[in-house]
Amino acid sequence: MERPAWAPRSIDISVPSVSRMYDFYLGGSHNFEVDRVAARRAMEFMPGLPKIMQANRAFMRRVVRYAVEEGITQFLDIGSGIPTFGNVHEVAQQAHPGAHVVYVDRDPVAVAHSQAVLEGNDDADVVAADLRKPEGILSSPQVERLIDRNRPVALLLVAILHFVEDTDDPYSAVAELRDALAPGSLLVVTHASYDGIPLPQERAEGAVDVYRNIRNPLIMRSRDEIARFFEGYDMVEPGLVPMPKWRPDTASEDEDPYSFAGFAGVGRSA
C-alpha cells in the first residue's frame, strides 16, 4: 500500500481509524482502503451512517454559531478528527473574526492534517492529546496560548464520548474539564445511542461489532447515561434531543430518519 504524502510515517496505514472512517462517511479524501472497507462493512448493517455523520456536522455548525451569538469566542474541540469543509474554526471565525479555536485529537493523521489546514492561522491550533487525560490538554502550550480560562469557553465533545469506555471513566474526564473552565462555559455533546435508529437493535449491533473488531469499541449509551455528562450544567433549550431537533435551521421533519439516531445537547455551567 502506497503511503500518501499527508500520512505521517509513524502511523500504521494497514489498521482502520475511526477518524478516517468518519472522513469517508462525510465524503472526504483523507482515508485509506482499509478504512473504507471497515466503513462499508458497518454500513451493511446500518446504511444510514453517512446521514448520521452529516447531521452531526450540521449540529456542530449550528452550535458554534449559537455560542458566538451568546458572546463565546473560544472553542476547545476535543476529538476533532480530520478537518473538513465547514469545520469549527471556519464557522467561528466567519461569525466572529479573531475567535480562538484549539483542536485536540489523538489520531496522528487528524493532527497532521489539522496542522496543514491551520498553517498561517494564528487564532487556531491543534494538540495531540487524549480526552481521557484532561490535564495534558489543559496544560498544553496551545491551550495556554489561545484559551483564556477566566472567560467562558465552548467545550465541544462531538462524537467522541461514545469511543470512551466506562472503564476509562469518561464522566470524571468531563467533570475535570468542567471544573477547569470559567462559569458560563458551554458543554456541547453528541453521542451515539440505539435510541432513534430506524432499524432493529439486533441489526444495529452488527455495525457496533465492526468497531469492536477494529479495537475502537462504540459505546451505545442510553439517554439517561448521556444526560449524566451534563451534571453541573444547566441545559440549554431544547435540552437533550436528536440532532436535527436542536435549534434547526429548517423543518426537522424533512430530515432523513437516520439523522435522528443518538442525542445532542448543550449545557451552560453555573
Side-chain angles (χ1 to χ4, degrees):
M1 184 186 302
E2 186 176 349
R3 181 183 298 271
W6 51 263
R9 303 296 305 179
S10 58
I11 68 166
D12 184 350
I13 62 176
S14 68
V15 177
S17 153
V18 293
S19 64
R20 298 195 304 267
M21 289 170 67
Y22 189 92
D23 178 68
F24 170 71
Y25 293 136
L26 289 174
S29 59
H30 286 78
N31 51 77
F32 305 127
E33 182 60 21
V34 67
D35 307 306
R36 296 188 284 273
V37 167
R40 292 186 188 112
R41 190 177 305 128
M43 289 170 61
E44 289 175 7
F45 298 98
M46 200 183 301
L49 276 168
K51 294 295 183 181
I52 296 174
M53 307 313 168
Q54 290 164 18
N56 195 75
R57 298 290 291 190
F59 162 78
M60 179 273 291
R61 290 191 284 268
R62 294 197 304 276
V63 85
V64 169
R65 291 194 294 268
Y66 167 80
V68 172
E69 290 168 2
E70 292 293 302
I72 296 177
T73 58
Q74 305 184 102
F75 298 84
L76 182 57
D77 183 2
I78 302 178
S80 50
I82 296 170
T84 56
F85 176 75
N87 215 44
V88 173
H89 73 281
E90 293 179 338
V91 179
Q93 291 173 356
Q94 181 180 37
H96 182 92
H100 286 185
V101 177
V102 177
Y103 293 118
V104 181
D105 209 286
R106 63 176 182 169
D107 185 328
V109 170
V111 173
H113 193 51
S114 297
Q115 288 170 336
V117 167
L118 298 175
E119 187 174 357
N121 188 333
D122 292 337
D123 294 323
D125 211 337
V126 59
V127 180
D130 194 318
L131 170 61
R132 295 170 295 183
K133 299 176 181 178
E135 182 51 41
I137 297 170
L138 296 167
S139 63
S140 67
Q142 297 91 328
V143 168
E144 291 185 347
R145 179 175 76 86
L146 288 173
I147 302 296
D148 178 358
R149 286 203 259 157
N150 294 311
R151 296 191 297 114
V153 177
L155 170 62
L156 279 71
L157 302 178
V158 175
I160 179 63
L161 288 167
H162 49 232
F163 289 115
V164 184
E165 298 182 77
D166 288 340
T167 52
D168 289 319
D169 199 1
Y171 296 102
S172 290
V174 174
E176 186 174 339
L177 290 163
R178 177 198 66 211
D179 294 344
L181 301 179
S185 292
L186 299 180
L187 171 64
V188 179
V189 169
T190 65
H191 199 297
S193 176
Y194 288 119
D195 295 358
I197 295 176
L199 46 75
Q201 179 173 326
E202 294 75 18
R203 184 163 180 80
E205 286 172 352
V208 173
D209 286 341
V210 171
Y211 284 89
R212 184 179 299 113
N213 291 339
I214 64 171
R215 298 182 182 179
N216 279 282
L218 180 60
I219 312 303
M220 306 289 270
R221 295 188 171 97
S222 69
R223 187 182 187 283
D224 287 345
E225 289 171 324
I226 298 166
R228 280 185 55 202
F229 288 112
F230 290 95
E231 289 182 1
Y233 290 88
D234 296 323
M235 294 301 294
V236 171
E237 289 294 332
L240 189 60
V241 295
M243 291 177 286
K245 290 186 174 294
W246 198 91
R247 301 182 178 234
D249 295 327
T250 57
S252 60
E253 293 77 14
D254 298 335
E255 296 284 344
D256 185 279
Y258 273 97
S259 301
F260 294 86
F263 291 98
V266 179
R268 181 181 283 106
S269 62

